[in-house]
Amino acid sequence: MIQIAIYWQRFRLFFGVLSVCGLLQGCAAPPATPGVLKTDLEENRIVYTVRSLTDTQVRVFRLYNGGSTDLEIQSLEVSDKSALKVETELQFPLTLKPGKSQGVEIAIRFKPASVGEFRGSVRIFAPASSNAARWGGVELSVRSLKVH
């Protein structure tokens, strides 16, 4: 009786392994994750600490693809060209391979155009990104402390 129990356990283990490996069910590769546009910014926010109209400041962030398939970036735009300037030379369309290390560093310069608080945005157009908004991309918020 013990002999039968041992054979039964081996039988179940063997066919369980076959089943998991796909020999009985047909294993498929895990599904590819669509491209996911990501940054290393906290909550996709860029904050500048410029306090004077004569000051400028550059912030650098990494833009990368958190998915498992290539992701095409069509363009990158700033909301206020008098205050914000993309310092990094980029060629569009830009294809991001999967992985943070495959991303690009983007530098954006802020030079206040007027006194007060600044609020703006950087829009990255990537319609195939799984986290793209209805308009076709991801928006980063930009703000500054009060400029005097």
Side-chain angles (χ1 to χ4, degrees):
M1 194 63 150
I2 294 175
Q3 189 85 7
I4 294 172
I6 291 172
Y7 284 125
W8 178 246
Q9 284 180 340
R10 287 182 182 164
F11 176 82
R12 285 183 30 209
L13 178 63
F14 177 74
F15 282 102
V17 169
L18 286 179
S19 175
V20 168
C21 291
L23 295 176
L24 293 178
Q25 295 178 348
C27 261
T33 308
V36 182
L37 192 59
K38 293 190 168 201
T39 70
D40 61 359
L41 296 167
E42 188 174 323
E43 296 182 20
N44 282 345
R45 286 190 194 145
I46 303 171
V47 179
Y48 293 95
T49 56
V50 171
R51 295 281 190 172
S52 160
L53 285 174
T54 59
D55 293 341
T56 63
Q57 193 171 39
V58 175
R59 292 283 189 234
V60 178
F61 66 92
R62 178 167 287 278
L63 180 67
Y64 65 98
N65 177 0
S68 62
T69 58
D70 289 358
L71 180 63
E72 185 176 280
I73 309 298
Q74 293 179 353
S75 66
L76 184 144
E77 296 177 359
V78 295
S79 61
D80 183 344
K81 291 184 173 135
S82 66
L84 298 170
K85 181 180 184 222
V86 179
E87 295 283 309
T88 308
E89 298 258 344
L90 300 168
Q91 297 291 324
F92 295 103
L94 172 67
T95 300
L96 293 178
K97 300 284 186 196
K100 192 171 185 177
S101 65
Q102 300 295 315
V104 293
E105 288 197 339
I106 297 177
I108 299 185
R109 178 178 302 282
F110 172 66
K111 175 153 183 27
S114 61
V115 296
E117 255 185 64
F118 175 82
R119 293 195 183 272
S121 65
V122 176
R123 282 189 160 195
I124 304 162
F125 294 88
S129 179
S130 65
N131 61 337
R134 286 187 179 167
W135 52 266
V138 173
E139 186 169 75
L140 312 179
S141 68
V142 180
R143 72 178 193 87
S144 75
L145 302 177
K146 192 170 184 177
V147 176
H148 304 284

